[in-house]
Every structure is written in structure tokens, then in C-alpha cells.
Amino acid sequence: MGAEGGEMTVEVERAFIGAGCNRIVHNVSWGACDLISFGTQNAVAIFCPKTAQILTTLPGHKASVNCTHWLPSSKFAFRAKNFERHYLLSGDADGEILLWEFSLADKNWRNVLQVSEKHKKCVTCISAIVLSQTDALFASSSSDGVVSIWEIIFPSSAEGECKLSCLHSIVAGRKPMVALSFVELPGNSGHLALAMGGLDNKIHIYSGERSGKFVRACELKGHNDWIRCLDFSLPLYANGEPSILLVSSSQDKGIRIWKMAVQNNHADSTKEETSLAAYIKGPIFVAGSSSYQISLESLLIGHEDWVYSVEWQPPQSSSIEGTECYQPQSILSASMDKTMMIWQPEKTTGIWMNMVTVGELSHCALGFYGGHWSPSGNSILAHGYGGSFHHWKNVGTDFDDWKPQKVPSGHFAPVSDISWARDGEYLLSVSHDQTSRVFSAWSNEFLIEDGEAWHEIARPQVHGHDINCVTVIKGKGNHRFVSGADEKVARVFEAPLSFLKTLNHTTSQKSSYADDLPSNVQILGANMSALGLSQKPIYQYESKEINNNEGIDTLETIPEAVPTVLTEPPIEEQLAWHTLWPESHKLYGHGNELFSLCCDHEGKLVASSCKAQLASVAEIWLWQVGSWKAVGRLHSHSLTVTQLEFSHDNNFLLSVSRDRHFSIFAIMHTGQDELSHELVVRQEAHRRIIWACSWNPFGHEFATGSRDKTVKIWQLVNGSSVKVLMTLPTFQSSITALSWLGVDSQKNRGLLAVGMENGVVELWTLSSTRNSDGDIAATTATLAVRFDPFLCHVSAVHRLRWQSAKKSDDSRSVQLASCGADHCVRLFQVHV
């Protein structure tokens, strides 16, 4: 869309999304299209395992996404050879289930329907069976104790509508079901079985026809804790007799394999024989013209904690056309003991054994919530407690050799603040997941078309409190940042040698490493303290102390970090432990938890504020970079100061607050270490809380955004008074983030990024003309672009930041970073 009669057109495209996985079972699904879906807060994210990049997020849910399920999933990849469109189901904590369509031809997504009869409580599991290219059944379980079975008729044309009908609802009772699995019964066309497991420690088998009700067939006892996962195999044929295997996992740390075999002579059997067989071998149930006996085939013991997930290896095609397939005898299990295991029957004895074990051995890991096979069966994926993914691929030819692979990563709680490096070579984010993360681009990505892909390259701070704010120190010298958390202390961190050398392997700003790298950096990395608050430096030449407890991983003994120079994007184990930055200073002074931080553009001053309900606590502290002395305490506001920003000439500090006022302070450097400050303006600007502010890079104009859904443009006149230049048209939602980019200094033209509480981001072109006195004579604002919903956040935008790099080329292309309550860090390429 053009702005100002076509004078400036703005185009936006997605450059990067960083997000963590919701910490819940059944949240991840690997589709037959070889894409992986997962829930991140209220969004469904889609990532490509080949490039380790999140491709998009799907908006629509109003509550946290609990489970996703592909139609067809990797289990039915053999039936999806000729599918032009794949579908995805997603369920949330409000009981809503949405169906999405993905077109393989143009890679487009669309929301095709919302299940009308929603569950009364959160959806706990979705399981589906794809019967044909146009027909599928799925079951959904919920905390309300109901299991619903649905039939979906897929359209035959691209723009057709999906038809959904509810076949049956099963009331499970007071103890809800949390695990489901469908199977087509062998020797019985049109008959299906549904296995359900949950909080009553039993497995319930229901049978039914494609279009009819499902009736209770039998129940299987054996587990002595909650059932967490169930999965049916495809029919197996031994001596011409078909049978099905059901694998179940539980919080009793055990895995059970149940065999469901066809009984041919059920009509002649008496009740006494049936009951005796049921006592010895297991229960028998009848479906259609066949009866089936279920017996315990095997009990797999190997995990040391709850087993959250079990999954059969996807069936593999045994013919070129893909019409015939066979079921590999291989089960993947994932547990809270931080391991995934592949179980297979031994060739000679047939006893099921643990053939492969992979896991996350870092001290801070807390286990896996789920494990999944790729459609081809040569890759496995786990998702863990820290919102992280772990991907292994079998690269061996003659023998199994499972190697870790790159995966996307990100925060698993709301992202509260972001800050660009001084030359724009990396982006730093902080979150309520108590971590700070560094994202940067790597050039050696042969899978990415333009040769550049963003990845998380470091985790400088892993803390014990939610982190609320951060600012990177501008100016010369080593890379430093200050962060503020839910504590009264601001902490200063300095880049270690391992990070500086790692940064030299990324694409951006190679020269800055050589120019600005201090020659005296002796710190190689940092170690986490036992309480998880301060991070202690590891020096380059320090002697290693002999540790008698080496190899014993307990809560009392924290293993040593091993900082290394990274030549490719790191995996979770490296990020969580070996990329910490040492803490160099603590800034004491505030009386409450830190809330906002900013640094001036020369790297000489840092301003900070904290949560406040009294004027005496709502003061702004100024800190001198280097000595880290408190050089000023600015009084003006009566409630929490929500954002601070220095003008681009560093002469003024703008603050906005919950008290609906903004204040401008004049900052004067009177000597080398001396500073004076003066409150020049304090004004009530909005009717509600002011959340955001931003200066014009070319002058003393600034914008303020508020919960009253308005953005106002102001001018500081002669350094002593302000006037309103204009108020933008009222927005649809509260304004939570602003960032002003200078585009043309001669015409005083800029681009204002506006972020809202509903996740929407808009770009507005601002231009003004000055009179002879330098005052603004006229200001115009035009909506340049409203971001597509598939680009935007799905919850409140917390911060917007334009990249600070100085571009030398004529074609204006700049990056805009954003973060929000949806756990996402997003990067947009904006072409002006």
C-alpha cells in the first residue's frame, strides 16, 4: 500500500521467528508433508526440520494451544503420496478446536473451520485416522470428561469447504481421558477401534463403524498410574493371521505392548471358555463379524521417570506406487528422565530391547514431554520442559549413528524486551522464562536461498527471576548489556572471548570484531552459581581444580561450563550451559522490582526505573557507564515509569508512566564525571496508562502511545515546552509499543511502527515541514501498511525496535524486531 499519494511504498516480509514450545504433552505433531507443528502460547507455529526455521504462526486461538495433530500425520505418510492439501487440527485450553488447510503447491495456509460444539474445558489430546484422500476421523478428549468423535469430509477442489459432523460423544466420567489412538480393525472393512487412557490407570477400548456410534468393547488393566500416551500399529501378519499391536506408556515409568489378534472361531466358543481365556490370555471383544483377543505382549522397563510419549515408527512403503506398506517393529519412547529410547525386538529371541538411547544430559534439563518420528523414520524429535526441541538424525549407513541436528529455539514465556547490538549484528531478548537470548544470522546456510538464516547463538543470562527489561550499551569497547528482573538490582554483563570469536563467524559486521575487540579480554565464559543468580567468570588461563564428584550430576554439584567458539548454530545443550556471559557489576538503588531500562546513544549513561505506587519510589536513576556510579535521581512521576528513551542528540530523556503523564529531563554533562539534570516538561498526555514512547531520530519530536488506543505526536519547543502536533486516528486496541525510524532527514520523514495489545503491528509514514524558526509548521501521517495476521503476534506486542545498523546502500531495506506475550521474537524485513 502506498503512502502519501505514492511518494513512499512500504513492503514487509518475514525474516525470522524465534519461539519455544508450550510445555504440555501432545503439543507437537510431525506431518506427512515433513513439517512440524507446535503450540506457542495462543499461536500454532510451523517449522521445517530441514532448515531449522519457523515458517509461520497461525492466529485464531484465544487461549494457550494444548495439542496439534496433522491430517495426515507421519503415521499415514504412505497414504499421502498424491495429496495436494494437508490439514492440521489444533486444540486449546478453552476447549476450541480449529482446522487449518495447507496447500503444498503455493505453501499457503487458511483457517477452514472451527469446531462448533466446543469442549467445556481444555482439550487434552487429539488423535486422527486418515481413511482416504477425502475422509478422516478424529477424536478429541477434554478435561470435562468427554471424548468426542468427528468425521471430516475434505473438499475435492482447492477452494472447497470441509464438512464436519459429530459421530459420537463418550462421557468418560470424573477421571478424564488424556490419551487416544485410532485403528482400522483387520478382517473387518469399515470397523474401527478407539483406545482411550487417562487418570483411572486403565485403557478403554471402544469399537464402532465409520458412520455409527462407538460402544465399549473392553478395558485393559496393568498400569498403576496415569496413562499418558497410546499408539496403535498397522496390522501385522504372522502365518497369514492379522494382528495389531497397541503400545501404552504411563507415569508408572513402564511401557506395555498389547496384542490384538483376530479370533476365527468365536461363534463356537462358550461363555465358560471365553471367561477362562479372558482370565489367562486377556479379554475378547466382538466387532462386526470378527472377534479379537487382547493379550499383554511385552512389558518394557528402562526409563527412570514418567514416560510421557510412545510412538510406532511410521509405516514404510514396500512398493514404488506406495500402495502397499509394512509396519516396522520399532517404538520410540520419551520420558521425563531426559532420554528418548528406540525399542525393537531382538532378531533371535524376539524379546523387545532398548536399541538406541539419546538424551539431553545438561544439568538444567527437566525431561521430555514427547517424542516423534519423521515420516521416513530416519529422524526423531523431542520437546522438553524448557520449551526446547531436540532433533537427532540417523546418519549411519551400515549401522545406526544418531547425530544431533539444528532446531529452532526461543522463549517459552512472554518476551518482555529486546535490544539491538550497537551495530545491529545481533538481537538480544529477555523474557519471563528467566533467560536472555542472542539471535544472529549465519552465512553458511546452504539450505536457505538468500544465504542467511537467523538462529539463537547464545544465552548470556539464565536467571532465577523473571527478566523485565534490557538495554545494550552503545559506544566503543566490548559488548555489554544491563538487564533488570523481578529484583531490586540491575545487573551488568560483558561479552566473553568465546562469544566475540563466535560472533566473527556470523555474517554481520565482520569489521566490528577486529576494530572494537578489547585486547585485554581474558574471560573465556561464565559459570552458573548454585542459586542461579550471579554468573561467575571463567578465565582463559585459570588452573582446573580437581573435582572429586566428577561425573555425579546432583543438585548440589553444578558441572563446569565449557565455553567454546561456535562455527555453526549451537544446539540446546550448548546454549543452556556453555554460552553464559559473566556478570561484571550490580547496580543497587531501586526499592522495587526493575521495570524499564535504556542507554544513551554514546554509551555513557544508563537510565532505570522500577515498579512503583508512590512518588518516592517512582524515581529514575542515572548510572554512569564504566564506573557504574549513580549520577542522578530524577523525580517526576507518581507511579511506575513504563518506558524511557534518550533523544538522539542525548540532550533529553523522555519518560512515560502509568500515571498518564510524560516527563522530559534535560541532561547536561558539566564535567568529565559530573552531570546535571533538570525537569523541563511534565504533562498529562492521555486518559489511560501510557505504555510506549519514541523520539524522532531527526529532531525533538516524539510519539506516545496509551491504553486509550491513541498515538500522539509531540514537539519539544526550545527545550522548555511541548505542543501536540497531531493525534493519529483511534486504533482498534491499546497501544503497547512504538518505534520511530528516520527515513529522510531533509524532508523530516519517518516511519512509525505501532504495536498493539491484540498483536497487530502497523507502520505509519510521518512527514512534517518546518518554518524559518525551526518549528514544525505542518505534520501529516498516513497508514503505510498493516501487517498480515499471519505475520503478526497473536497477543500483546511488548516492544518494537528498528535495527540500528547504518546502511550504506541506496535501496532502503531495514529490519524491524518485535517481541510479545505470545513467546515470540519476530524479525521483519521492511523495504522503504
Side-chain angles (χ1 to χ4, degrees):
M1 178 179 173
E4 293 184 40
E7 284 186 30
M8 183 164 69
T9 55
V10 178
E11 293 179 357
V12 180
E13 60 188 34
R14 181 190 300 108
F16 170 72
I17 302 171
C21 183
N22 287 343
R23 299 189 288 179
I24 194 163
V25 190
H26 305 306
N27 189 28
V28 175
S29 180
W30 200 325
C33 56
D34 207 19
L35 294 179
I36 296 165
S37 63
F38 66 96
T40 175
Q41 209 242 4
N42 299 353
V44 179
I46 309 296
F47 89 79
C48 174
K50 289 188 175 69
T51 60
Q53 295 288 303
I54 296 176
L55 304 178
T56 188
T57 55
L58 310 179
H61 288 285
K62 296 179 178 63
S64 180
V65 176
N66 283 352
C67 43
T68 63
H69 193 90
W70 279 96
L71 300 172
S73 63
S74 58
K75 184 176 182 176
F76 296 100
F78 68 95
R79 287 184 181 166
K81 302 286 185 188
N82 302 317
F83 281 26
E84 296 175 1
R85 293 172 298 281
H86 288 235
Y87 295 85
L88 178 67
L89 288 159
S90 57
D92 67 25
D94 275 353
E96 291 280 7
I97 299 174
L98 301 181
L99 179 67
W100 310 86
E101 182 187 86
F102 175 61
S103 170
L104 293 180
D106 54 13
K107 309 298 182 190
N108 277 347
W109 285 89
R110 71 183 181 108
N111 183 0
V112 287
L113 63 82
Q114 178 175 330
V115 174
S116 55
E117 302 170 33
K118 73 172 212 172
H119 288 284
K120 294 183 176 66
K121 293 185 180 178
C122 66
V123 181
T124 54
C125 182
I126 295 175
S127 180
I129 182 167
V130 176
L131 302 170
S132 68
Q133 194 162 345
T134 58
D135 192 15
L137 260 64
F138 79 88
S140 59
S141 63
S142 167
S143 297
D144 61 11
V146 174
V147 176
S148 297
I149 301 167
W150 308 81
E151 183 181 32
I152 307 177
I153 306 298
F154 299 127
S156 54
S157 61
E159 293 300 321
E161 291 186 4
C162 289
K163 295 177 182 176
L164 182 73
S165 56
C166 182
L167 299 181
H168 194 199
S169 286
I170 301 168
V171 179
R174 292 176 59 188
K175 295 189 175 181
M177 299 292 113
V178 294
L180 304 167
S181 185
F182 263 121
V183 71
E184 288 181 280
L185 291 172
N188 231 332
S189 61
H191 277 78
L192 302 164
L194 172 65
M196 308 189 308
L199 278 57
D200 62 357
N201 309 347
K202 301 173 189 174
I203 300 169
H204 303 270
I205 306 293
Y206 282 75
S207 67
E209 298 182 47
R210 284 192 186 189
S211 56
K213 286 190 175 182
F214 279 68
V215 295
R216 180 191 291 269
C218 62
E219 60 183 39
L220 308 177
K221 299 177 183 177
H223 289 292
N224 52 30
D225 208 334
W226 292 5
I227 312 289
R228 296 312 303 234
C229 193
L230 297 166
D231 193 29
F232 275 115
S233 72
L234 248 64
L236 302 158
Y237 293 90
N239 302 321
E241 292 293 323
S243 63
I244 292 170
L245 295 180
L246 170 67
V247 61
S248 61
S249 70
S250 165
Q251 289 181 186
D252 63 10
K253 309 176 189 177
I255 300 166
R256 290 173 180 257
I257 302 175
W258 310 82
K259 185 176 182 179
M260 189 184 290
V262 178
Q263 299 287 103
N264 291 322
N265 58 346
H266 76 280
D268 302 327
S269 61
T270 63
K271 289 184 180 179
E272 288 77 20
E273 288 172 333
T274 304
S275 62
L276 184 65
Y279 181 76
I280 298 171
K281 296 180 180 179
I284 295 176
F285 72 91
V286 178
S289 59
S290 302
S291 66
Y292 303 86
Q293 180 158 44
I294 305 178
S295 57
L296 181 64
E297 174 81 0
S298 188
L299 174 62
L300 312 184
I301 302 294
H303 285 294
E304 297 174 358
D305 209 333
W306 296 355
V307 185
Y308 267 142
S309 165
V310 280
E311 190 174 289
W312 286 98
Q313 184 176 338
Q316 304 301 309
S317 297
S318 54
S319 63
I320 298 172
E321 294 84 12
T323 51
E324 296 180 9
C325 65
Y326 67 95
Q327 172 69 62
Q329 295 282 284
S330 188
I331 293 170
L332 175 69
S333 63
S335 166
M336 285 300 278
D337 66 4
K338 311 178 191 176
T339 63
M340 279 204 303
M341 295 181 180
I342 297 176
W343 306 82
Q344 293 169 349
E346 206 176 37
K347 290 181 180 175
T348 52
T349 62
I351 298 172
W352 285 81
M353 303 286 288
N354 168 23
M355 300 297 184
V356 178
T357 301
V358 294
E360 180 190 21
L361 301 176
S362 66
H363 179 79
C364 50
L366 284 171
F368 295 143
Y369 279 112
H372 303 273
W373 290 98
S374 67
S376 60
N378 66 350
S379 293
I380 53 177
L381 179 86
H383 64 105
Y385 179 83
S388 55
F389 288 106
H390 309 263
H391 181 195
W392 289 271
K393 187 175 183 180
N394 188 4
V395 296
T397 49
D398 300 328
F399 56 90
D400 282 356
D401 185 13
W402 294 87
K403 295 289 186 189
Q405 306 293 308
K406 291 192 292 288
V407 287
S409 63
H411 295 284
F412 58 90
V415 188
S416 45
D417 204 357
I418 48 176
S419 184
W420 282 101
R422 58 174 177 252
D423 293 321
E425 63 266 51
Y426 62 83
L427 180 69
L428 176 68
S429 63
V430 296
S431 164
H432 292 170
D433 69 5
Q434 306 185 349
T435 66
S436 66
R437 303 179 189 231
V438 172
F439 298 94
S440 184
W442 290 75
S443 59
N444 55 349
E445 291 288 319
F446 58 90
L447 291 171
I448 304 295
E449 291 177 10
D450 59 2
E452 184 175 277
W454 283 73
H455 293 275
E456 184 181 348
I457 65 165
R459 210 165 288 173
Q461 184 183 7
V462 178
H463 203 39
H465 296 289
D466 295 2
I467 309 176
N468 297 324
C469 48
V470 70
T471 185
V472 171
I473 306 300
K474 308 290 195 296
K476 295 287 185 182
N478 195 7
H479 297 267
R480 290 171 292 182
F481 73 87
V482 184
S483 72
D486 275 346
E487 55 179 349
K488 301 174 184 179
V489 185
R491 298 174 186 267
V492 185
F493 295 85
E494 190 161 335
L497 198 59
S498 58
F499 175 81
L500 296 171
K501 291 182 176 178
T502 296
L503 199 60
N504 207 32
H505 288 285
T506 65
T507 57
S508 309
Q509 309 295 331
K510 299 269 180 150
S511 59
S512 68
Y513 170 77
D515 296 342
D516 292 342
L517 174 60
S519 58
N520 59 347
V521 175
Q522 299 296 317
I523 297 173
L524 195 60
N527 264 323
M528 176 66 70
S529 66
L531 290 177
L533 292 175
S534 295
Q535 293 168 193
K536 307 300 181 188
I538 301 172
Y539 291 95
Q540 201 170 357
Y541 305 110
E542 69 181 6
S543 59
K544 299 267 183 182
E545 292 183 15
I546 297 170
N547 186 2
N548 294 327
N549 294 328
E550 193 171 356
I552 303 171
D553 183 14
T554 67
L555 289 173
E556 289 77 22
T557 61
I558 304 289
E560 290 283 312
V562 185
T564 52
V565 179
L566 303 169
T567 55
E568 62 177 8
I571 57 175
E572 178 68 20
E573 285 81 349
Q574 294 168 301
L575 285 167
W577 203 246
H578 305 305
T579 59
L580 294 170
W581 290 20
E583 184 183 305
S584 60
H585 293 86
K586 294 182 179 70
L587 310 182
Y588 295 95
H590 285 289
N592 282 333
E593 299 93 334
L594 270 291
F595 195 82
S596 181
L597 283 165
C598 78
C599 178
D600 72 354
H601 300 275
E602 292 179 348
K604 292 180 179 179
L605 281 178
V606 168
S608 62
S609 70
C610 70
K611 295 178 183 177
Q613 291 183 322
L614 298 170
S616 58
V617 184
E619 58 188 0
I620 300 163
W621 286 61
L622 296 179
W623 310 88
Q624 186 180 52
V625 173
S627 69
W628 297 110
K629 294 176 183 174
V631 292
R633 294 167 68 173
L634 315 182
H635 296 268
S636 173
H637 296 286
S638 57
L639 294 172
T640 305
V641 174
T642 53
Q643 192 176 353
L644 299 158
E645 189 169 305
F646 283 94
S647 62
H648 286 255
D649 59 7
N650 296 320
N651 292 332
F652 299 97
L653 174 64
L654 170 65
S655 63
V656 293
S657 167
R658 297 179 76 102
D659 64 11
R660 308 173 187 180
H661 290 71
F662 68 76
S663 300
I664 299 176
F665 301 89
I667 308 295
M668 294 150 289
H669 295 269
T670 54
Q672 187 172 358
D673 291 335
E674 295 180 3
L675 187 101
S676 65
H677 51 82
E678 179 190 359
L679 175 65
V680 293
V681 175
R682 180 178 188 269
Q683 180 157 331
E684 184 170 359
H686 292 269
R687 299 192 307 275
R688 305 290 298 277
I689 293 170
I690 308 176
W691 282 123
C693 63
S694 187
W695 286 96
N696 177 7
F698 300 141
H700 287 158
E701 298 83 48
F702 60 92
T704 58
S706 165
R707 184 180 277 176
D708 65 9
K709 304 180 183 180
T710 61
V711 173
K712 295 184 180 181
I713 312 297
W714 309 76
Q715 184 189 18
L716 178 63
V717 181
N718 300 324
S720 59
S721 63
V722 293
K723 67 175 182 178
V724 180
L725 296 178
M726 70 177 305
T727 301
L728 269 57
T730 304
F731 291 84
Q732 296 175 347
S733 183
S734 302
I735 308 301
T736 53
L738 293 171
S739 188
W740 197 324
L741 172 73
V743 176
D744 188 340
S745 57
Q746 262 106 33
K747 297 180 180 178
N748 195 22
R749 182 187 293 168
L751 207 54
L752 182 67
V754 180
M756 293 173 239
E757 195 173 33
N758 60 5
V760 172
V761 178
E762 294 181 359
L763 299 182
W764 287 73
T765 53
L766 300 177
S767 60
S768 54
T769 55
R770 298 184 188 273
N771 56 28
S772 57
D773 300 331
D775 285 347
I776 301 293
T779 304
T780 56
T782 312
L783 176 62
V785 64
R786 178 181 287 118
F787 287 20
D788 185 274
F790 286 88
L791 286 176
C792 290
H793 293 271
V794 298
S795 296
V797 181
H798 283 160
R799 194 75 77 224
L800 292 164
R801 300 273 190 214
W802 292 101
Q803 190 181 27
S804 49
K806 311 293 188 292
K807 297 280 183 183
S808 57
D809 55 353
D810 294 332
S811 61
R812 286 290 301 189
S813 177
V814 69
Q815 288 180 321
L816 173 66
S818 69
C819 68
D822 61 356
H823 309 178
C824 290
V825 173
R826 296 171 187 264
L827 199 56
F828 308 100
Q829 198 74 37
V830 180
H831 306 282
V832 181

